[in-house]
Amino acid sequence: MNPAAALRLGDLLVSAGLIDRPTLDEALRRQSAYGTRLGEVLVAMGRLEPEELPALLGLQAELRDGAAEPQVSERLRLGRLLVEAGVAVS
């Protein structure tokens, strides 16, 4: 994946293992059809929780600004696992 693609929300979510490529493709089709934002589409599809979206967008912005490391997939997976296990809250 090229560095610019890694900064797109959908590609970030796929590389982190939070969604798969077919889910992203479907979300992008819906985004195009309805003219809404990708994050909102993924929430409507039940693939992201509404509470996760601001944190993911913040991480995306940090990556763009160089304030976060590009290898975030493990951190995102761990965070989701902790929330699902009830150890942490989003």
Side-chain angles (χ1 to χ4, degrees):
M1 178 183 321
N2 70 47
L7 297 180
R8 294 185 303 205
L9 181 62
D11 291 322
L12 180 65
L13 296 173
V14 169
S15 68
L18 297 177
I19 63 172
D20 58 21
R21 188 70 208 189
T23 299
L24 175 57
D25 292 341
E26 175 60 24
L28 290 170
R29 279 191 289 277
R30 292 181 187 194
Q31 177 190 30
S32 178
Y34 301 117
T36 188
R37 295 178 181 259
L38 181 63
E40 294 169 357
V41 171
L42 290 164
V43 168
M45 290 173 63
R47 302 302 296 168
L48 289 179
E49 295 296 323
E51 299 81 20
E52 292 176 307
L53 193 53
L56 292 167
L57 294 173
L59 177 59
Q60 180 188 30
E62 286 179 20
L63 287 168
R64 282 195 177 132
D65 295 341
E69 72 280 2
Q71 304 293 354
V72 296
S73 60
E74 290 82 18
R75 197 169 87 192
L76 288 172
R77 280 190 214 128
L78 176 60
R80 182 171 257 190
L81 288 172
L82 291 172
V83 168
E84 289 174 357
V87 177
V89 295
S90 59

